[in-house]
Amino acid sequence: EVQLQQSGPEVGRPGSSVKISCKASGYTFTDYVMNWVKQSPGQGLEWIGWIDPEYGSTDYAEKFKKKATLTADTSSNTAYIQLSSLTSEDTATYFCARGGGVMDAWGQGASVTVSS
Amino acid sequence: DVQMTQSPYNLAASPGESVSINCKASKSISKYLAWYQQKPGKANKLLIYDGSTLQSGIPSRFSGSGSGTDFTLTIRSLEPEDFGLYYCQQHNEYPFTFGSGTKLEIK
């Protein structure tokens, strides 16, 4: 069974950074790219970008190019998203989702709260 | 970016009824549209991709249609577990974009 297990809730101060993990199991990690998707409170879904774990190549939505950094560790089958220079606009739930344009498995989401 | 306009925003129906949710793209996305279900405490679920291809394990009461700019998700004979949020998403070009969501509630 494909599973994407995300790390727990994070609280970050304005201006700081947070890093969320997404541990994959049940499939060959390097066979699929991993997407990251943002959901602000009470809002819809925004695609942040994806990473190809096999090559480390990434693509980002323009809006997130200076905000998010995607990495992957093939030794632990884990994908990461780091969010930098946090502001209140970054308070949201962040999902990892397997696949290219078609996201066929999702993590449970990790909440990030930006608060001083 | 391709803007996805989803309607209706809210939808109330009874178990056993059929409902349709619409999604309109700001430009042609060929057939490349996916539908997802979101429910509290559960991972988001892929229902349909490529406009009309049913994801493995999804009941046949879910169906998708459309191409170009106009798409529809139809759920026939609603079951209690079908109530939740539904999102469309274009997977034709970067950046991938989602509709604003439709909340399907029990009447």
Side-chain angles (χ1 to χ4, degrees), chain A residues 2 8 11 19 22 27 30 37 44 53 66 72 74 80 84 98 110:
Chain A
V2 174
V11 178
K19 193 171 187 178
C22 170
Y27 72 99
T30 50
V37 175
K66 294 184 178 180
T74 57
Y80 300 91
S84 61
R98 187 185 81 158

Side-chain angles (χ1 to χ4, degrees), chain A residues 52-96:
Chain A
D52 183 337
E54 182 171 13
Y55 301 106
S57 53
T58 55
D59 194 13
Y60 297 87
E62 190 67 36
K63 175 180 178 180
F64 293 100
K65 282 185 177 178
K66 294 184 178 180
K67 173 60 61 178
T69 302
L70 306 182
T71 56
D73 178 355
T74 57
S75 68
S76 62
N77 293 342
T78 304
Y80 300 91
I81 180 171
Q82 179 165 320
L83 303 167
S84 61
S85 304
L86 292 173
T87 73
S88 59
E89 296 293 306
D90 301 316
T91 293
T93 297
Y94 293 83
F95 297 95
C96 57

Side-chain angles (χ1 to χ4, degrees), chain B:
Chain B
D1 299 359
V2 181
Q3 304 303 312
M4 306 301 295
T5 303
Q6 205 172 321
S7 62
Y9 181 74
N10 278 314
L11 188 55
S14 301
E17 292 184 340
S18 295
V19 297
S20 291
I21 299 170
N22 301 301
C23 188
K24 188 174 183 69
S26 60
K27 68 181 209 182
S28 176
I29 55 171
S30 185
K31 66 178 181 177
Y32 299 111
L33 186 96
W35 291 97
Y36 301 89
Q37 181 191 65
Q38 183 176 67
K39 300 182 73 169
K42 293 194 170 184
N44 296 341
K45 186 183 293 187
L46 171 68
L47 304 172
I48 302 278
Y49 62 95
D50 288 353
S52 61
T53 302
L54 192 67
Q55 170 68 351
S56 175
I58 301 301
S60 59
R61 63 180 181 273
F62 290 88
S63 64
S65 63
S67 66
T69 60
D70 294 288
F71 298 84
T72 300
L73 173 71
T74 299
I75 312 171
R76 293 185 171 79
S77 299
L78 279 166
E79 296 282 344
E81 62 265 28
D82 297 337
F83 295 93
L85 272 164
Y86 289 83
Y87 291 94
C88 62
Q89 175 236 327
Q90 64 84 15
H91 56 97
N92 183 61
E93 63 180 64
Y94 295 113
F96 304 132
T97 45
F98 293 84
S100 55
T102 293
K103 187 173 185 179
L104 177 58
E105 298 178 299
I106 301 174
K107 188 185 288 183

